[in-house]
Amino acid sequence: MAEIIVMKAVNAENELYAAQVKETLDKRGILLINLLSSPGSGKTSLLEATLKEWGGKYRCAAIEGDLFTDEDARRLERFGIQVVQLNTQGSCHLTANMIVKALEKLDLKDLEFLFVENVGNLVCPASFNLGEHKRVTLLSVTEGKDKIKKYPKAFYTADLLVLSKIDLLPMTDVNLEDLKQDFFRVNPQADFLSLSVKTGQGLSQWLEKLENWRRGT
Ligand SMILES: Nc1nc2c(ncn2[C@@H]2O[C@H](COP(=O)(O)OP(=O)(O)O)[C@@H](O)[C@H]2O)c(=O)[nH]1
Ligand SMILES: [Mg+2]
């Protein structure tokens, strides 16, 4: 009982910050995308592939949520974009007030896409709105076939499920159609796409999706 009340208060405060983030970005026409997944599903790799493919076509920035290190931030800085590192010092998710602080460190002028790589975790990040326009949950085929059922919130709050590492599908016992069915059962409104940053399969659909979102279609 007490726990529920605390959680409500935390969420109410978070929603205020989330609204502030969204308002700031809306004024400037910047699209905020919150990437969620288990550690190692391929969030940073997907951002690297995106930046490489675009080659400066759009002005992008990233906020990297990590428990302690700045390795992912360094991986993205190589593409010449602004990156803010948020170390949560052990906390398992980002909150909207952290994004408010990160925005103060970014030059928002002419920015078009702002990517947030959340802390690798399928549980806590799903409960915290960061003021994002779109939430993308990644699931790699190597995580097995039961994760959607086990961690439904990360999937029913997503606008898009990216099934990553599709090149490895033959090495797993995951059935693509069954997995899609599990996903659409918890989230019939969302989109689904599968991709591999190793072979490039599905990457163009991902880039198209980002561009369509930015155009508001
Ligand atoms: N085979 C394969 N490996 C991938 C793919 N995407 C990422 N990886 C590998 O998965 C590991 C974790 O990727 P990373 O992007 O760091 O995951 P993150 O923790 O979600 O950011 C790395 O060794 C990547 O090279 C993919 O599409 N196919
Ligand atoms: Mg990463």
Side-chain angles (χ1 to χ4, degrees), residues 19-135:
Q20 191 182 327
V21 169
K22 194 149 187 294
E23 197 190 333
T24 303
L25 298 180
D26 280 346
K27 269 191 210 148
R28 295 175 175 268
I30 303 167
L31 192 80
L32 175 58
I33 295 175
N34 182 7
L35 290 171
L36 246 76
S37 82
S38 307
S41 304
K43 298 179 294 300
T44 315
S45 301
L46 182 57
L47 291 179
E48 287 174 320
T50 303
L51 296 168
K52 184 167 173 237
E53 284 294 317
W54 275 346
K57 185 175 176 190
Y58 297 103
R59 266 178 218 272
C60 300
I63 298 173
E64 281 292 322
D66 220 326
L67 296 173
F68 301 107
T69 76
D70 64 356
E71 282 176 34
D72 289 356
R74 284 170 190 273
R75 281 168 67 182
L76 297 183
E77 267 176 351
R78 285 191 211 121
F79 294 87
I81 66 162
Q82 300 179 75
V83 185
V84 176
Q85 177 71 56
L86 289 175
N87 282 134
T88 60
Q89 304 294 326
S91 172
C92 57
H93 61 273
L94 296 178
T95 53
N97 68 329
M98 297 179 195
I99 305 300
V100 169
K101 289 197 186 111
L103 292 184
E104 288 165 9
K105 302 237 181 282
L106 286 170
D107 178 6
L108 300 178
K109 193 171 176 294
D110 300 330
L111 211 59
E112 291 167 296
F113 288 92
L114 176 57
F115 296 98
V116 173
E117 177 173 346
N118 219 310
V119 179
N121 177 348
L122 274 180
V123 185
C124 316
S127 294
F128 289 86
N129 174 16
L130 302 183
E132 68 257 30
H133 297 96
K134 299 290 174 187
R135 179 174 292 191

Side-chain angles (χ1 to χ4, degrees), residues 37 40-43 46 137-143 161-169 193-197:
S37 82
S41 304
K43 298 179 294 300
L46 182 57
T137 299
L138 277 82
L139 176 69
S140 56
V141 294
T142 49
E143 287 168 73
L161 172 61
V162 170
L163 183 65
S164 59
K165 309 192 188 180
I166 198 69
D167 53 299
L168 300 178
L169 188 66
L193 61 87
S194 55
L195 56 77
S196 164
V197 302

